[in-house]
Structures are given as structure tokens and as C-alpha cells.
Amino acid sequence: KVDEDVRAARDRLRKALEAEDIDSIGSASHILISVAGAVGAARVAQGAQRINLAVNRRDLAAIRQAAPAMLEDIERMLEFVGHRLNA
């Protein structure tokens, strides 16, 4: 379930970033804050919080700057979760 939620939020975030849809970026970041926080993925949660703060300021440049690192952290988290589920 966690990996499904994270994948869905990641995909939503990517689409929102491409469309420069700040409201959808904010929605995806909220989901990521919750899910990442629940499983102890601090880097993902912190990245999502940075993006969420930029969303609140309507600062697309800051969102674009923070997004790549957070997307990389999401991939690392998904790899970790996948390994744990298959162990």
C-alpha cells in the first residue's frame, strides 16, 4: 500500500510539474509528507515540505529547484520499500 501511494503521488507530482499546476503540486506534496512521515522517510518528507512551502508562496522557481532532489529521494525510498517487501 505504501509503495502504491508513493508511486501515485510521484506520478501526480511529475504531471503537475510538467503542467506547472501549483495546486496539484501542493496536493501531491501533502500526500508525500503524510506517507513519507508515516514510514520514517525523513528526506522525502523534508523535500515535500520544502515544495509545499514554495507552493504556499506560489514560487514556481523554488518548486522547480527542489523537485529533482525530492524525486530522486522518492526513487530511493521506493527501492528500499521494494527490497523490504521482497525480503
Side-chain angles (χ1 to χ4, degrees):
K1 176 77 171 132
V2 169
D3 62 328
E4 292 173 17
D5 290 344
V6 172
R7 287 178 200 283
R10 176 204 59 197
D11 294 345
R12 184 175 183 179
L13 178 64
R14 283 182 177 156
K15 288 178 186 174
L17 287 165
E18 288 175 19
E20 297 185 347
D21 181 346
I22 291 179
D23 294 326
S24 292
I25 293 167
S27 178
S29 71
H30 275 287
I31 294 166
L32 289 164
I33 290 166
S34 296
V35 175
V39 298
R43 286 179 62 143
V44 173
Q46 290 167 354
Q49 288 170 342
R50 276 192 293 280
I51 287 178
N52 196 43
L53 289 171
V55 165
N56 291 338
R57 294 189 315 266
R58 312 299 282 182
D59 186 345
L60 194 55
I63 293 167
R64 281 193 206 112
Q65 184 177 14
M70 192 189 65
L71 289 168
E72 287 178 28
D73 289 338
I74 290 169
E75 294 307 319
R76 283 191 211 99
M77 176 185 162
L78 287 170
E79 283 180 36
F80 176 78
V81 169
H83 289 304
R84 299 290 290 174
L85 291 175
N86 294 323

